[in-house]
Amino acid sequence: MAKTVRETIKEIVYYHLKKKKFLAMGQCLSAVGWVGGTLPELYEKDGMIELSMADVAGGGIATGAALAGKRPIYIIRYQGFNWYNAPMILNYACKSKELWNVSCPIFIRSIAMEGKIGPVAGSSHHSLYYRMPGIKIVSPMTPKEYKGIYEKFMKGDDVYYVSEHRGSFNNHKELIDVEINRPNLVIFAISITRFEAKKAVEILNKKNFRISLCNILWIKPFKVKKKMINQLKKAKYGGLVIDDDYEDGIAKNIANDLSIISNKKIHTLGLKNKSAGFSKKGDNLPPDCKEIISKIEKILVKK
Amino acid sequence: MRDKNLEIFKKVSFVRHFELQVFKNIKNKNIKIPAYLSAGQEFISSSLSYFIIKELKIKPLIFAQHRCHATYLNFGGNPKKLIDELLGKKSGTNSGLGGSASISSKKINMFGHDGHMGTQMPIGLGACFASKKPTIIFLGDASIEEDYVMSSIGWASFKKLPILIIVEDNNLSILTQKKVRRHWEANDLAKGLKMKSVNIKDDPKDIEKSKKLFFKEPFLMNINTTRLFWHAGAGEDDYKRFDRYEYTKKKIGSIGKEIDQKIKMEVSNLWQKQLEKQ
């Protein structure tokens, strides 16, 4: 059987530390589960650095390690923690090359999950980084995508925000774009929503809804295959961007870009504009298959 | 000892006259950006650079604060490039992008400052931890109050790194005095975090006493000093200030005046040449 995303990440971290002699750092790395089984059981002598629980300083320490040429993999166990971890990464590491001609490459492993974990720990928060210059944002959900992103990081000297999702860790399959001849609508799905979007498209297309699906790996710079843009240009009812972050973030930015490129109306679907509670009823979860289908039905019926 | 004092005095004199030229060129609008003058605080980096580079023969990683002209000049930065940077020219230290507060130089291992108070502490700490190279970090008495600075001092102490933390304590955040902001001293904080520390004046003799501890273990020096001019720009605050440069010049007599005049001329010519290139 092919390797899962979890196994792929674990192998990459091992290679980064033991073969390349670089660093991985973060909080509570060696605690129960080794960050969802994505870390090899290595310690400070191997380059696996347990930081103190000071989030803001942690981002600065990772930045300094990058200045020293150690290409740190900086592990943030819940994406919401970026509110405190991001300041020095965005204001120093991301600007370092431009302002001081000094490379400061960091591979930020920012991990999302959701479901009864409250207003901070849940979901993706990649929009937080999106507006700033000097950052690359990707959201790999398959083993091949993850490996490719790591290789690109190692060849360059940029800061990468790698928006992971625990829901993808068991995945061992690649996700393929769905191209329909003269589609009614094209879905552009980000992060964990790609799995639900795939299910929704299968169901809808069985009912002859004619929906194409484009998997977004590169969020910033925004990259999609030209053929998917051509699909959008031909789509009768435009497109739909789906995200695991708040709808008032990257989803709307990408929708705007796509709208300008294609001259089509682009809809969005993401987290609702409310705080997530800890109970099932009060939670704020990413759009699931049912919600995606419902949204598409509404778009098509309204037209 | 006298030679050493004169060497340090010369370094101080160079920075003083450099900063007086900055002052003048802000006034006559050749410099059009916010500038943070080191005048009054020169003895700290002049003394430290003398002891670290000349005597200990160490070339540390340097993480300065926004008020960084003296650090750059004393640790071997090219003054012409700093002038050009302040004038916003491509030939400046940072191609005119760094301004006054974000000066960097690969040649002297000096990293730029991002403009957020105290970030040089965790960033410098990370560089020190990852490289294990001697690292000197300059902070102001206000930036030591940043929460991430405090936690970084704790981690530096815990990891026993070759790090020297210098608090250039001019008692002011813009114009808000320390006594309004807190009831503790930086050295108290360091001691609480199990790091050796001192609280001294910016007299070279006092600074030298701690030389043996430099980069042997984590060490914090709170050095009391005086900011001569405004927080930013060319102006003088309305309060009585002690000026160690003038005090020392007077103390060492005619040789002090001689050095002062000679360096004043040297710096003036340097500025003139760079301005003519505009």
Side-chain angles (χ1 to χ4, degrees):
Chain A
M1 196 163 110
K3 281 187 184 111
T4 61
V5 170
R6 175 184 286 107
E7 289 160 340
T8 306
I9 299 172
K10 192 172 176 178
E11 273 186 17
I12 285 170
V13 175
Y14 186 88
Y15 170 81
H16 197 69
L17 270 53
K18 297 299 279 183
K19 302 284 178 197
K20 302 301 286 185
K21 305 288 179 201
F22 292 137
L23 301 177
M25 47 179 57
Q27 298 172 346
C28 299
L29 304 181
S30 55
V32 184
W34 292 81
V35 190
T38 57
L39 296 180
E41 291 186 21
L42 298 173
Y43 298 89
E44 185 161 323
K45 64 179 172 49
D46 308 300
M48 187 80 79
I49 313 302
E50 283 282 5
L51 295 174
S52 77
M53 299 309 287
D55 287 79
V56 183
I61 291 170
T63 299
L67 288 176
K70 287 294 184 178
R71 286 187 171 270
I73 294 177
Y74 186 46
I75 299 147
I76 299 171
R77 293 165 302 128
Y78 296 93
Q79 290 209 16
F81 294 177
N82 277 291
W83 285 104
Y84 289 160
N85 280 270
M88 288 175 227
I89 294 172
L90 287 169
N91 287 288
Y92 199 106
C94 292
K95 296 176 182 173
S96 185
K97 217 167 26 165
E98 192 181 5
L99 285 179
W100 304 296
N101 194 25
V102 175
S103 298
C104 196
I106 307 175
F107 190 91
I108 305 161
R109 281 192 57 205
S110 187
I111 305 160
M113 65 180 291
E114 52 255 315
K116 300 177 194 166
I117 52 172
V120 170
S123 302
S124 299
H125 291 261
H126 32 231
S127 297
L128 185 57
Y129 281 72
Y130 185 75
R131 64 183 286 270
M132 293 297 279
I135 183 97
K136 291 194 164 157
I137 305 175
V138 291
S139 187
M141 291 290 119
T142 75
K144 200 174 160 190
E145 286 177 355
Y146 205 101
K147 199 162 179 281
I149 290 300
Y150 174 74
E151 284 166 1
K152 271 214 180 322
F153 166 74
M154 291 300 282
K155 278 182 193 157
D157 60 356
D158 292 304
V159 182
Y160 275 62
Y161 183 91
V162 184
S163 181
E164 298 179 13
H165 198 290
R166 280 186 186 238
S168 76
F169 285 177
N170 285 332
N171 178 41
H172 58 88
K173 291 179 183 164
E174 295 306 310
L175 293 167
I176 313 295
D177 290 344
V178 176
E179 290 175 68
I180 299 288
N181 188 28
R182 303 193 73 77
N184 277 324
L185 186 122
V186 184
I187 294 176
F188 294 85
I190 300 170
S191 180
I192 196 68
T193 72
R194 289 163 62 183
F195 295 95
E196 292 295 304
K198 182 174 177 274
K199 282 188 219 164
V201 167
E202 282 166 5
I203 294 168
L204 289 166
N205 284 344
K206 274 183 193 161
K207 295 180 187 171
N208 206 24
F209 269 71
R210 306 189 67 77
I211 310 295
S212 291
L213 171 62
C214 176
N215 290 285
I216 297 179
L217 167 62
W218 279 90
I219 296 171
K220 187 174 179 176
F222 179 56
K223 290 183 195 171
V224 282
K225 291 182 186 122
K226 207 174 172 183
K227 62 184 180 181
M228 296 315 292
I229 298 296
N230 288 336
Q231 286 259 300
L232 179 62
K233 284 177 180 168
K234 288 176 198 161
K236 198 172 172 185
Y237 299 109
L240 171 65
V241 180
I242 311 175
D243 195 10
D244 179 39
D245 198 345
Y246 288 104
E247 201 174 323
D248 290 337
I250 282 173
K252 286 191 178 171
N253 282 281
I254 287 178
N256 182 56
D257 290 347
L258 287 170
S259 179
I260 289 166
I261 297 167
S262 63
N263 209 22
K264 294 279 179 181
K265 192 167 186 177
I266 313 294
H267 302 264
T268 52
L269 193 56
L271 297 188
K272 282 141 205 86
N273 191 23
K274 66 164 201 163
S275 301
F278 283 91
S279 69
K280 195 177 174 185
K281 206 177 163 188
D283 216 333
N284 192 2
L285 300 173
D288 61 10
C289 176
K290 203 174 149 191
E291 215 178 330
I292 295 167
I293 289 173
S294 166
K295 176 85 178 178
I296 291 172
E297 282 174 344
K298 274 182 199 160
I299 295 168
L300 269 57
V301 168
K302 262 189 189 174
K303 290 281 174 179
Chain B
M1 187 62 190
R2 191 165 163 77
D3 286 350
K4 187 182 291 186
N5 282 340
L6 283 180
E7 285 302 310
I8 292 170
F9 182 74
K10 282 179 193 167
K11 285 165 83 77
V12 175
S13 182
F14 188 88
V15 179
R16 172 60 59 95
H17 288 297
F18 188 95
E19 294 294 66
L20 290 174
Q21 284 289 332
V22 178
F23 191 100
K24 188 175 131 189
N25 282 287
I26 294 170
K27 285 275 185 201
N28 65 23
K29 298 190 175 11
N30 282 323
I31 295 173
K32 300 178 182 82
I33 56 167
Y36 304 89
L37 303 180
S38 303
Q41 305 189 179
E42 311 93 333
F43 269 93
I44 298 176
S45 54
S46 297
S47 309
L48 287 166
S49 60
Y50 183 86
F51 298 133
I52 292 169
I53 297 173
K54 183 127 186 187
E55 293 194 346
L56 297 172
K57 314 279 183 211
I58 292 171
K59 189 180 175 188
L61 303 182
I62 303 163
F63 289 83
Q65 57 156 326
H66 65 286
R67 200 175 301 286
C68 62
H69 300 177
T71 308
Y72 173 80
L73 294 169
N74 277 316
F75 278 85
N78 182 341
K80 289 181 192 167
K81 280 179 152 296
L82 180 52
I83 295 170
D84 287 357
E85 185 64 29
L86 295 170
L87 296 173
K89 291 163 77 172
K90 269 269 172 208
S91 47
T93 54
N94 300 94
S95 310
L97 286 172
S100 163
S102 305
I103 307 301
S104 75
S105 165
K106 285 181 184 173
K107 196 181 152 206
I108 64 166
N109 289 338
M110 181 167 163
F111 294 84
H113 184 255
D114 65 1
H116 287 289
M117 282 197 348
T119 55
Q120 66 273 29
M121 180 64 226
I123 294 170
L125 168 62
C128 181
F129 176 81
S131 68
K132 302 292 182 282
K133 288 180 182 166
T135 302
I136 182 165
I137 298 171
F138 290 88
L139 300 162
D141 57 89
S143 52
I144 191 119
E145 294 166 21
E146 291 281 9
D147 42 11
Y148 43 79
V149 171
M150 296 184 190
S151 55
S152 297
I153 292 171
W155 206 66
S157 172
F158 176 52
K159 293 292 170 186
K160 301 191 184 340
L161 296 170
I163 202 162
L164 177 59
I165 302 163
I166 305 298
V167 182
E168 298 178 296
D169 183 351
N170 62 22
N171 188 41
L172 296 170
S173 172
I174 317 240
L175 270 176
T176 306
Q177 291 188 46
K178 239 171 28 180
K179 67 181 179 190
V180 181
R181 306 179 336 242
R182 57 170 146 109
H183 68 323
W184 48 269
E185 292 295 333
N187 60 309
D188 297 331
L189 173 73
K191 276 175 194 155
L193 294 164
K194 300 184 189 303
M195 184 185 285
K196 279 192 181 156
S197 61
V198 290
N199 188 8
I200 57 172
K201 290 184 208 153
D202 58 357
D203 186 329
K205 277 185 282 180
D206 288 355
I207 294 172
E208 189 176 17
K209 281 178 195 161
S210 297
K211 192 175 69 180
K212 59 183 181 300
L213 283 175
F214 291 178
F215 310 118
K216 300 281 185 216
E217 60 183 297
F219 183 46
L220 181 145
M221 300 176 82
N222 189 76
I223 306 180
N224 295 278
T225 187
T226 309
R227 191 184 80 202
L228 218 56
F229 300 131
W230 280 350
H231 162 67
E236 289 185 58
D237 296 318
D238 184 23
Y239 64 93
K240 204 178 166 197
R241 292 172 296 268
F242 169 70
D243 186 344
R244 187 170 295 283
Y245 180 68
E246 289 299 329
Y247 169 81
T248 310
K249 189 169 78 177
K250 203 170 165 187
K251 198 175 153 195
I252 58 179
S254 59
I255 193 161
K257 280 184 192 159
E258 238 174 72
I259 291 168
D260 178 71
Q261 285 307 305
K262 193 180 158 210
I263 291 177
K264 183 182 177 182
M265 190 60 70
E266 184 191 325
V267 174
S268 172
N269 290 339
L270 184 71
W271 270 86
Q272 200 53 45
K273 275 185 192 168
Q274 291 310 106
L275 286 165
E276 280 165 9
K277 285 182 192 169
Q278 282 211 90

